[in-house]
PDB file of all heavy atoms in Angstrom:
ATOM      1  N   PHE A 212      -5.728   9.764  13.035  1.00 95.00           N
ATOM      2  CA  PHE A 212      -4.848   9.583  11.879  1.00 95.00           C
ATOM      3  C   PHE A 212      -5.602   9.110  10.642  1.00 95.00           C
ATOM      4  O   PHE A 212      -5.444   9.666   9.548  1.00 95.00           O
ATOM      5  CB  PHE A 212      -3.741   8.580  12.226  1.00 95.00           C
ATOM      6  CG  PHE A 212      -2.830   8.257  11.077  1.00 95.00           C
ATOM      7  CD1 PHE A 212      -1.832   9.138  10.692  1.00 95.00           C
ATOM      8  CD2 PHE A 212      -2.973   7.059  10.372  1.00 95.00           C
ATOM      9  CE1 PHE A 212      -0.984   8.840   9.628  1.00 95.00           C
ATOM     10  CE2 PHE A 212      -2.132   6.759   9.305  1.00 95.00           C
ATOM     11  CZ  PHE A 212      -1.138   7.653   8.925  1.00 95.00           C
ATOM     12  N   TYR A 213      -6.416   8.096  10.791  1.00 94.00           N
ATOM     13  CA  TYR A 213      -7.135   7.555   9.629  1.00 94.00           C
ATOM     14  C   TYR A 213      -8.321   8.435   9.246  1.00 94.00           C
ATOM     15  O   TYR A 213      -8.600   8.632   8.058  1.00 94.00           O
ATOM     16  CB  TYR A 213      -7.581   6.125   9.916  1.00 94.00           C
ATOM     17  CG  TYR A 213      -6.417   5.179  10.096  1.00 94.00           C
ATOM     18  CD1 TYR A 213      -5.999   4.802  11.372  1.00 94.00           C
ATOM     19  CD2 TYR A 213      -5.708   4.696   9.006  1.00 94.00           C
ATOM     20  CE1 TYR A 213      -4.908   3.949  11.550  1.00 94.00           C
ATOM     21  CE2 TYR A 213      -4.617   3.850   9.162  1.00 94.00           C
ATOM     22  CZ  TYR A 213      -4.224   3.481  10.438  1.00 94.00           C
ATOM     23  OH  TYR A 213      -3.143   2.648  10.612  1.00 94.00           O
ATOM     24  N   TRP A 214      -9.008   8.960  10.257  1.00 93.00           N
ATOM     25  CA  TRP A 214     -10.178   9.797   9.977  1.00 93.00           C
ATOM     26  C   TRP A 214      -9.800  11.070   9.245  1.00 93.00           C
ATOM     27  O   TRP A 214     -10.644  11.658   8.535  1.00 93.00           O
ATOM     28  CB  TRP A 214     -10.909  10.131  11.277  1.00 93.00           C
ATOM     29  CG  TRP A 214     -11.393   8.925  12.004  1.00 93.00           C
ATOM     30  CD1 TRP A 214     -10.954   8.447  13.200  1.00 93.00           C
ATOM     31  CD2 TRP A 214     -12.411   8.002  11.561  1.00 93.00           C
ATOM     32  NE1 TRP A 214     -11.624   7.294  13.538  1.00 93.00           N
ATOM     33  CE2 TRP A 214     -12.523   7.000  12.555  1.00 93.00           C
ATOM     34  CE3 TRP A 214     -13.226   7.930  10.438  1.00 93.00           C
ATOM     35  CZ2 TRP A 214     -13.416   5.944  12.451  1.00 93.00           C
ATOM     36  CZ3 TRP A 214     -14.124   6.877  10.323  1.00 93.00           C
ATOM     37  CH2 TRP A 214     -14.213   5.896  11.325  1.00 93.00           C
ATOM     38  N   ASN A 215      -8.569  11.519   9.380  1.00 94.00           N
ATOM     39  CA  ASN A 215      -8.134  12.749   8.719  1.00 94.00           C
ATOM     40  C   ASN A 215      -7.647  12.508   7.296  1.00 94.00           C
ATOM     41  O   ASN A 215      -7.143  13.434   6.654  1.00 94.00           O
ATOM     42  CB  ASN A 215      -7.011  13.412   9.530  1.00 94.00           C
ATOM     43  CG  ASN A 215      -7.530  14.050  10.803  1.00 94.00           C
ATOM     44  OD1 ASN A 215      -8.711  14.387  10.907  1.00 94.00           O
ATOM     45  ND2 ASN A 215      -6.656  14.221  11.788  1.00 94.00           N
ATOM     46  N   GLN A 216      -7.787  11.281   6.801  1.00 93.00           N
ATOM     47  CA  GLN A 216      -7.356  10.954   5.447  1.00 93.00           C
ATOM     48  C   GLN A 216      -8.525  10.437   4.618  1.00 93.00           C
ATOM     49  O   GLN A 216      -9.498   9.914   5.153  1.00 93.00           O
ATOM     50  CB  GLN A 216      -6.254   9.892   5.486  1.00 93.00           C
ATOM     51  CG  GLN A 216      -5.039  10.308   6.286  1.00 93.00           C
ATOM     52  CD  GLN A 216      -3.890   9.359   6.091  1.00 93.00           C
ATOM     53  OE1 GLN A 216      -3.410   9.149   4.980  1.00 93.00           O
ATOM     54  NE2 GLN A 216      -3.412   8.772   7.183  1.00 93.00           N
ATOM     55  N   ASP A 217      -8.373  10.568   3.327  1.00 94.00           N
ATOM     56  CA  ASP A 217      -9.355   9.986   2.410  1.00 94.00           C
ATOM     57  C   ASP A 217      -9.021   8.503   2.260  1.00 94.00           C
ATOM     58  O   ASP A 217      -7.911   8.157   1.850  1.00 94.00           O
ATOM     59  CB  ASP A 217      -9.287  10.666   1.044  1.00 94.00           C
ATOM     60  CG  ASP A 217     -10.166   9.971   0.024  1.00 94.00           C
ATOM     61  OD1 ASP A 217     -11.395   9.996   0.185  1.00 94.00           O
ATOM     62  OD2 ASP A 217      -9.595   9.370  -0.915  1.00 94.00           O
ATOM     63  N   PRO A 218      -9.941   7.600   2.611  1.00 93.00           N
ATOM     64  CA  PRO A 218      -9.609   6.174   2.590  1.00 93.00           C
ATOM     65  C   PRO A 218      -9.216   5.647   1.215  1.00 93.00           C
ATOM     66  O   PRO A 218      -8.302   4.827   1.102  1.00 93.00           O
ATOM     67  CB  PRO A 218     -10.885   5.502   3.109  1.00 93.00           C
ATOM     68  CG  PRO A 218     -11.964   6.516   2.955  1.00 93.00           C
ATOM     69  CD  PRO A 218     -11.306   7.843   3.104  1.00 93.00           C
ATOM     70  N   ALA A 219      -9.877   6.117   0.169  1.00 93.00           N
ATOM     71  CA  ALA A 219      -9.548   5.637  -1.183  1.00 93.00           C
ATOM     72  C   ALA A 219      -8.115   6.017  -1.548  1.00 93.00           C
ATOM     73  O   ALA A 219      -7.363   5.195  -2.102  1.00 93.00           O
ATOM     74  CB  ALA A 219     -10.532   6.217  -2.198  1.00 93.00           C
ATOM     75  N   THR A 220      -7.733   7.238  -1.219  1.00 95.00           N
ATOM     76  CA  THR A 220      -6.375   7.685  -1.517  1.00 95.00           C
ATOM     77  C   THR A 220      -5.349   6.929  -0.677  1.00 95.00           C
ATOM     78  O   THR A 220      -4.296   6.515  -1.184  1.00 95.00           O
ATOM     79  CB  THR A 220      -6.242   9.194  -1.242  1.00 95.00           C
ATOM     80  OG1 THR A 220      -7.182   9.903  -2.062  1.00 95.00           O
ATOM     81  CG2 THR A 220      -4.834   9.680  -1.539  1.00 95.00           C
ATOM     82  N   TYR A 221      -5.677   6.725   0.593  1.00 95.00           N
ATOM     83  CA  TYR A 221      -4.742   6.019   1.484  1.00 95.00           C
ATOM     84  C   TYR A 221      -4.446   4.622   0.972  1.00 95.00           C
ATOM     85  O   TYR A 221      -3.279   4.225   0.846  1.00 95.00           O
ATOM     86  CB  TYR A 221      -5.317   5.957   2.899  1.00 95.00           C
ATOM     87  CG  TYR A 221      -4.423   5.215   3.873  1.00 95.00           C
ATOM     88  CD1 TYR A 221      -3.329   5.848   4.454  1.00 95.00           C
ATOM     89  CD2 TYR A 221      -4.666   3.879   4.206  1.00 95.00           C
ATOM     90  CE1 TYR A 221      -2.492   5.174   5.342  1.00 95.00           C
ATOM     91  CE2 TYR A 221      -3.842   3.205   5.091  1.00 95.00           C
ATOM     92  CZ  TYR A 221      -2.755   3.853   5.656  1.00 95.00           C
ATOM     93  OH  TYR A 221      -1.925   3.180   6.524  1.00 95.00           O
ATOM     94  N   PHE A 222      -5.484   3.861   0.670  1.00 93.00           N
ATOM     95  CA  PHE A 222      -5.266   2.484   0.224  1.00 93.00           C
ATOM     96  C   PHE A 222      -4.618   2.410  -1.152  1.00 93.00           C
ATOM     97  O   PHE A 222      -3.870   1.476  -1.441  1.00 93.00           O
ATOM     98  CB  PHE A 222      -6.586   1.714   0.231  1.00 93.00           C
ATOM     99  CG  PHE A 222      -7.078   1.374   1.616  1.00 93.00           C
ATOM    100  CD1 PHE A 222      -8.323   1.790   2.050  1.00 93.00           C
ATOM    101  CD2 PHE A 222      -6.285   0.647   2.488  1.00 93.00           C
ATOM    102  CE1 PHE A 222      -8.781   1.482   3.329  1.00 93.00           C
ATOM    103  CE2 PHE A 222      -6.722   0.332   3.766  1.00 93.00           C
ATOM    104  CZ  PHE A 222      -7.971   0.753   4.185  1.00 93.00           C
ATOM    105  N   ALA A 223      -4.876   3.407  -2.005  1.00 94.00           N
ATOM    106  CA  ALA A 223      -4.308   3.401  -3.354  1.00 94.00           C
ATOM    107  C   ALA A 223      -2.829   3.764  -3.354  1.00 94.00           C
ATOM    108  O   ALA A 223      -2.091   3.361  -4.258  1.00 94.00           O
ATOM    109  CB  ALA A 223      -5.083   4.365  -4.253  1.00 94.00           C
ATOM    110  N   THR A 224      -2.400   4.524  -2.365  1.00 96.00           N
ATOM    111  CA  THR A 224      -1.029   5.042  -2.387  1.00 96.00           C
ATOM    112  C   THR A 224      -0.135   4.469  -1.285  1.00 96.00           C
ATOM    113  O   THR A 224       1.051   4.831  -1.207  1.00 96.00           O
ATOM    114  CB  THR A 224      -1.042   6.582  -2.240  1.00 96.00           C
ATOM    115  OG1 THR A 224      -1.658   6.944  -0.989  1.00 96.00           O
ATOM    116  CG2 THR A 224      -1.805   7.222  -3.388  1.00 96.00           C
ATOM    117  N   THR A 225      -0.669   3.578  -0.451  1.00 95.00           N
ATOM    118  CA  THR A 225       0.090   3.065   0.685  1.00 95.00           C
ATOM    119  C   THR A 225       0.263   1.558   0.586  1.00 95.00           C
ATOM    120  O   THR A 225      -0.727   0.824   0.488  1.00 95.00           O
ATOM    121  CB  THR A 225      -0.620   3.411   2.018  1.00 95.00           C
ATOM    122  OG1 THR A 225      -0.963   4.795   2.028  1.00 95.00           O
ATOM    123  CG2 THR A 225       0.275   3.100   3.206  1.00 95.00           C
ATOM    124  N   SER A 226       1.484   1.102   0.591  1.00 94.00           N
ATOM    125  CA  SER A 226       1.754  -0.333   0.498  1.00 94.00           C
ATOM    126  C   SER A 226       1.312  -1.046   1.762  1.00 94.00           C
ATOM    127  O   SER A 226       1.111  -0.425   2.820  1.00 94.00           O
ATOM    128  CB  SER A 226       3.252  -0.571   0.291  1.00 94.00           C
ATOM    129  OG  SER A 226       3.975  -0.203   1.466  1.00 94.00           O
ATOM    130  N   TYR A 227       1.186  -2.368   1.667  1.00 93.00           N
ATOM    131  CA  TYR A 227       0.829  -3.165   2.840  1.00 93.00           C
ATOM    132  C   TYR A 227       1.835  -2.966   3.977  1.00 93.00           C
ATOM    133  O   TYR A 227       1.464  -2.853   5.140  1.00 93.00           O
ATOM    134  CB  TYR A 227       0.754  -4.647   2.465  1.00 93.00           C
ATOM    135  CG  TYR A 227      -0.637  -5.132   2.103  1.00 93.00           C
ATOM    136  CD1 TYR A 227      -1.689  -4.239   1.923  1.00 93.00           C
ATOM    137  CD2 TYR A 227      -0.899  -6.493   1.949  1.00 93.00           C
ATOM    138  CE1 TYR A 227      -2.952  -4.684   1.592  1.00 93.00           C
ATOM    139  CE2 TYR A 227      -2.168  -6.948   1.621  1.00 93.00           C
ATOM    140  CZ  TYR A 227      -3.193  -6.047   1.439  1.00 93.00           C
ATOM    141  OH  TYR A 227      -4.444  -6.495   1.124  1.00 93.00           O
ATOM    142  N   GLU A 228       3.117  -2.912   3.621  1.00 95.00           N
ATOM    143  CA  GLU A 228       4.134  -2.755   4.652  1.00 95.00           C
ATOM    144  C   GLU A 228       4.009  -1.406   5.353  1.00 95.00           C
ATOM    145  O   GLU A 228       4.169  -1.319   6.573  1.00 95.00           O
ATOM    146  CB  GLU A 228       5.537  -2.916   4.050  1.00 95.00           C
ATOM    147  CG  GLU A 228       5.883  -4.349   3.686  1.00 95.00           C
ATOM    148  CD  GLU A 228       5.710  -5.298   4.873  1.00 95.00           C
ATOM    149  OE1 GLU A 228       6.231  -4.986   5.963  1.00 95.00           O
ATOM    150  OE2 GLU A 228       5.057  -6.335   4.705  1.00 95.00           O
ATOM    151  N   GLN A 229       3.718  -0.363   4.582  1.00 96.00           N
ATOM    152  CA  GLN A 229       3.555   0.952   5.202  1.00 96.00           C
ATOM    153  C   GLN A 229       2.268   1.002   6.024  1.00 96.00           C
ATOM    154  O   GLN A 229       2.222   1.646   7.081  1.00 96.00           O
ATOM    155  CB  GLN A 229       3.540   2.054   4.143  1.00 96.00           C
ATOM    156  CG  GLN A 229       3.471   3.462   4.739  1.00 96.00           C
ATOM    157  CD  GLN A 229       4.614   3.758   5.690  1.00 96.00           C
ATOM    158  OE1 GLN A 229       5.780   3.598   5.328  1.00 96.00           O
ATOM    159  NE2 GLN A 229       4.300   4.189   6.913  1.00 96.00           N
ATOM    160  N   GLN A 230       1.229   0.320   5.554  1.00 95.00           N
ATOM    161  CA  GLN A 230      -0.017   0.259   6.326  1.00 95.00           C
ATOM    162  C   GLN A 230       0.225  -0.395   7.683  1.00 95.00           C
ATOM    163  O   GLN A 230      -0.282   0.073   8.707  1.00 95.00           O
ATOM    164  CB  GLN A 230      -1.075  -0.511   5.540  1.00 95.00           C
ATOM    165  CG  GLN A 230      -1.613   0.233   4.330  1.00 95.00           C
ATOM    166  CD  GLN A 230      -2.542  -0.625   3.483  1.00 95.00           C
ATOM    167  OE1 GLN A 230      -3.242  -1.490   3.990  1.00 95.00           O
ATOM    168  NE2 GLN A 230      -2.548  -0.384   2.175  1.00 95.00           N
ATOM    169  N   TRP A 231       0.993  -1.460   7.683  1.00 96.00           N
ATOM    170  CA  TRP A 231       1.311  -2.113   8.960  1.00 96.00           C
ATOM    171  C   TRP A 231       2.177  -1.206   9.817  1.00 96.00           C
ATOM    172  O   TRP A 231       1.983  -1.112  11.033  1.00 96.00           O
ATOM    173  CB  TRP A 231       2.004  -3.448   8.732  1.00 96.00           C
ATOM    174  CG  TRP A 231       2.418  -4.093  10.022  1.00 96.00           C
ATOM    175  CD1 TRP A 231       3.692  -4.229  10.510  1.00 96.00           C
ATOM    176  CD2 TRP A 231       1.562  -4.652  11.024  1.00 96.00           C
ATOM    177  NE1 TRP A 231       3.678  -4.838  11.733  1.00 96.00           N
ATOM    178  CE2 TRP A 231       2.379  -5.115  12.079  1.00 96.00           C
ATOM    179  CE3 TRP A 231       0.178  -4.817  11.122  1.00 96.00           C
ATOM    180  CZ2 TRP A 231       1.866  -5.723  13.220  1.00 96.00           C
ATOM    181  CZ3 TRP A 231      -0.343  -5.422  12.262  1.00 96.00           C
ATOM    182  CH2 TRP A 231       0.491  -5.873  13.300  1.00 96.00           C
ATOM    183  N   GLU A 232       3.133  -0.525   9.217  1.00 97.00           N
ATOM    184  CA  GLU A 232       3.989   0.390   9.964  1.00 97.00           C
ATOM    185  C   GLU A 232       3.167   1.509  10.599  1.00 97.00           C
ATOM    186  O   GLU A 232       3.435   1.925  11.733  1.00 97.00           O
ATOM    187  CB  GLU A 232       5.057   0.986   9.042  1.00 97.00           C
ATOM    188  CG  GLU A 232       6.083   1.862   9.746  1.00 97.00           C
ATOM    189  CD  GLU A 232       6.886   1.128  10.799  1.00 97.00           C
ATOM    190  OE1 GLU A 232       7.071  -0.096  10.677  1.00 97.00           O
ATOM    191  OE2 GLU A 232       7.335   1.792  11.761  1.00 97.00           O
ATOM    192  N   ASP A 233       2.139   1.979   9.892  1.00 97.00           N
ATOM    193  CA  ASP A 233       1.255   2.998  10.467  1.00 97.00           C
ATOM    194  C   ASP A 233       0.520   2.440  11.683  1.00 97.00           C
ATOM    195  O   ASP A 233       0.343   3.137  12.693  1.00 97.00           O
ATOM    196  CB  ASP A 233       0.232   3.464   9.421  1.00 97.00           C
ATOM    197  CG  ASP A 233       0.847   4.331   8.337  1.00 97.00           C
ATOM    198  OD1 ASP A 233       1.944   4.883   8.558  1.00 97.00           O
ATOM    199  OD2 ASP A 233       0.228   4.453   7.258  1.00 97.00           O
ATOM    200  N   HIS A 234       0.107   1.191  11.583  1.00 97.00           N
ATOM    201  CA  HIS A 234      -0.582   0.566  12.721  1.00 97.00           C
ATOM    202  C   HIS A 234       0.374   0.403  13.906  1.00 97.00           C
ATOM    203  O   HIS A 234      -0.023   0.619  15.063  1.00 97.00           O
ATOM    204  CB  HIS A 234      -1.147  -0.794  12.308  1.00 97.00           C
ATOM    205  CG  HIS A 234      -1.959  -1.455  13.379  1.00 97.00           C
ATOM    206  ND1 HIS A 234      -3.142  -0.931  13.846  1.00 97.00           N
ATOM    207  CD2 HIS A 234      -1.744  -2.587  14.099  1.00 97.00           C
ATOM    208  CE1 HIS A 234      -3.636  -1.708  14.799  1.00 97.00           C
ATOM    209  NE2 HIS A 234      -2.798  -2.710  14.971  1.00 97.00           N
ATOM    210  N   VAL A 235       1.609   0.053  13.629  1.00 98.00           N
ATOM    211  CA  VAL A 235       2.611  -0.085  14.690  1.00 98.00           C
ATOM    212  C   VAL A 235       2.849   1.265  15.360  1.00 98.00           C
ATOM    213  O   VAL A 235       2.889   1.362  16.596  1.00 98.00           O
ATOM    214  CB  VAL A 235       3.929  -0.643  14.129  1.00 98.00           C
ATOM    215  CG1 VAL A 235       5.039  -0.567  15.177  1.00 98.00           C
ATOM    216  CG2 VAL A 235       3.741  -2.091  13.679  1.00 98.00           C
ATOM    217  N   LYS A 236       3.017   2.319  14.557  1.00 97.00           N
ATOM    218  CA  LYS A 236       3.264   3.650  15.119  1.00 97.00           C
ATOM    219  C   LYS A 236       2.086   4.103  15.975  1.00 97.00           C
ATOM    220  O   LYS A 236       2.280   4.693  17.049  1.00 97.00           O
ATOM    221  CB  LYS A 236       3.515   4.645  13.992  1.00 97.00           C
ATOM    222  CG  LYS A 236       4.852   4.466  13.292  1.00 97.00           C
ATOM    223  CD  LYS A 236       5.022   5.472  12.160  1.00 97.00           C
ATOM    224  CE  LYS A 236       6.355   5.306  11.451  1.00 97.00           C
ATOM    225  NZ  LYS A 236       6.498   6.254  10.314  1.00 97.00           N
ATOM    226  N   GLN A 237       0.875   3.852  15.497  1.00 97.00           N
ATOM    227  CA  GLN A 237      -0.309   4.218  16.278  1.00 97.00           C
ATOM    228  C   GLN A 237      -0.329   3.459  17.604  1.00 97.00           C
ATOM    229  O   GLN A 237      -0.556   4.032  18.677  1.00 97.00           O
ATOM    230  CB  GLN A 237      -1.583   3.913  15.491  1.00 97.00           C
ATOM    231  CG  GLN A 237      -2.853   4.307  16.226  1.00 97.00           C
ATOM    232  CD  GLN A 237      -4.109   3.772  15.565  1.00 97.00           C
ATOM    233  OE1 GLN A 237      -4.283   2.550  15.440  1.00 97.00           O
ATOM    234  NE2 GLN A 237      -4.984   4.652  15.119  1.00 97.00           N
ATOM    235  N   SER A 238      -0.066   2.161  17.537  1.00 98.00           N
ATOM    236  CA  SER A 238      -0.089   1.324  18.736  1.00 98.00           C
ATOM    237  C   SER A 238       0.974   1.747  19.736  1.00 98.00           C
ATOM    238  O   SER A 238       0.729   1.776  20.950  1.00 98.00           O
ATOM    239  CB  SER A 238       0.106  -0.150  18.350  1.00 98.00           C
ATOM    240  OG  SER A 238      -0.921  -0.573  17.473  1.00 98.00           O
ATOM    241  N   GLU A 239       2.161   2.082  19.246  1.00 98.00           N
ATOM    242  CA  GLU A 239       3.238   2.518  20.138  1.00 98.00           C
ATOM    243  C   GLU A 239       2.918   3.867  20.783  1.00 98.00           C
ATOM    244  O   GLU A 239       3.240   4.099  21.956  1.00 98.00           O
ATOM    245  CB  GLU A 239       4.552   2.573  19.370  1.00 98.00           C
ATOM    246  CG  GLU A 239       5.064   1.192  18.984  1.00 98.00           C
ATOM    247  CD  GLU A 239       6.324   1.202  18.152  1.00 98.00           C
ATOM    248  OE1 GLU A 239       6.657   2.276  17.603  1.00 98.00           O
ATOM    249  OE2 GLU A 239       6.984   0.154  18.049  1.00 98.00           O
ATOM    250  N   ALA A 240       2.275   4.747  20.034  1.00 97.00           N
ATOM    251  CA  ALA A 240       1.868   6.033  20.600  1.00 97.00           C
ATOM    252  C   ALA A 240       0.818   5.854  21.683  1.00 97.00           C
ATOM    253  O   ALA A 240       0.792   6.584  22.679  1.00 97.00           O
ATOM    254  CB  ALA A 240       1.332   6.944  19.493  1.00 97.00           C
ATOM    255  N   PHE A 241      -0.042   4.857  21.507  1.00 98.00           N
ATOM    256  CA  PHE A 241      -1.115   4.600  22.472  1.00 98.00           C
ATOM    257  C   PHE A 241      -0.639   3.832  23.704  1.00 98.00           C
ATOM    258  O   PHE A 241      -1.316   3.843  24.733  1.00 98.00           O
ATOM    259  CB  PHE A 241      -2.212   3.764  21.814  1.00 98.00           C
ATOM    260  CG  PHE A 241      -3.063   4.504  20.816  1.00 98.00           C
ATOM    261  CD1 PHE A 241      -4.005   3.804  20.065  1.00 98.00           C
ATOM    262  CD2 PHE A 241      -2.946   5.869  20.626  1.00 98.00           C
ATOM    263  CE1 PHE A 241      -4.812   4.465  19.143  1.00 98.00           C
ATOM    264  CE2 PHE A 241      -3.738   6.544  19.693  1.00 98.00           C
ATOM    265  CZ  PHE A 241      -4.677   5.827  18.954  1.00 98.00           C
ATOM    266  N   TRP A 242       0.512   3.160  23.621  1.00 98.00           N
ATOM    267  CA  TRP A 242       0.841   2.155  24.615  1.00 98.00           C
ATOM    268  C   TRP A 242       0.986   2.695  26.034  1.00 98.00           C
ATOM    269  O   TRP A 242       0.417   2.126  26.979  1.00 98.00           O
ATOM    270  CB  TRP A 242       2.097   1.387  24.220  1.00 98.00           C
ATOM    271  CG  TRP A 242       2.490   0.359  25.239  1.00 98.00           C
ATOM    272  CD1 TRP A 242       3.675   0.266  25.914  1.00 98.00           C
ATOM    273  CD2 TRP A 242       1.674  -0.718  25.726  1.00 98.00           C
ATOM    274  NE1 TRP A 242       3.659  -0.798  26.777  1.00 98.00           N
ATOM    275  CE2 TRP A 242       2.440  -1.425  26.685  1.00 98.00           C
ATOM    276  CE3 TRP A 242       0.383  -1.154  25.449  1.00 98.00           C
ATOM    277  CZ2 TRP A 242       1.948  -2.534  27.368  1.00 98.00           C
ATOM    278  CZ3 TRP A 242      -0.114  -2.268  26.131  1.00 98.00           C
ATOM    279  CH2 TRP A 242       0.664  -2.942  27.078  1.00 98.00           C
TER     280      TRP A 242
END
């Protein structure tokens, strides 16, 4: 998920809350 994105664009356009939500979704998919 992260490797397929440009990091500068991701951090510039994604709020902290959405960043955490992405981490939650990744973790739930892995669980």
Side-chain angles (χ1 to χ4, degrees):
F212 176 78
Y213 295 100
W214 300 112
N215 287 337
Q216 302 191 59
D217 173 66
T220 301
Y221 179 81
F222 287 123
T224 60
T225 311
S226 68
Y227 266 10
E228 287 305 310
Q229 184 57 53
Q230 289 173 32
W231 176 252
E232 185 61 28
D233 288 340
H234 185 65
V235 170
K236 289 179 180 178
Q237 182 191 61
S238 300
E239 291 177 344
F241 287 174
W242 179 238

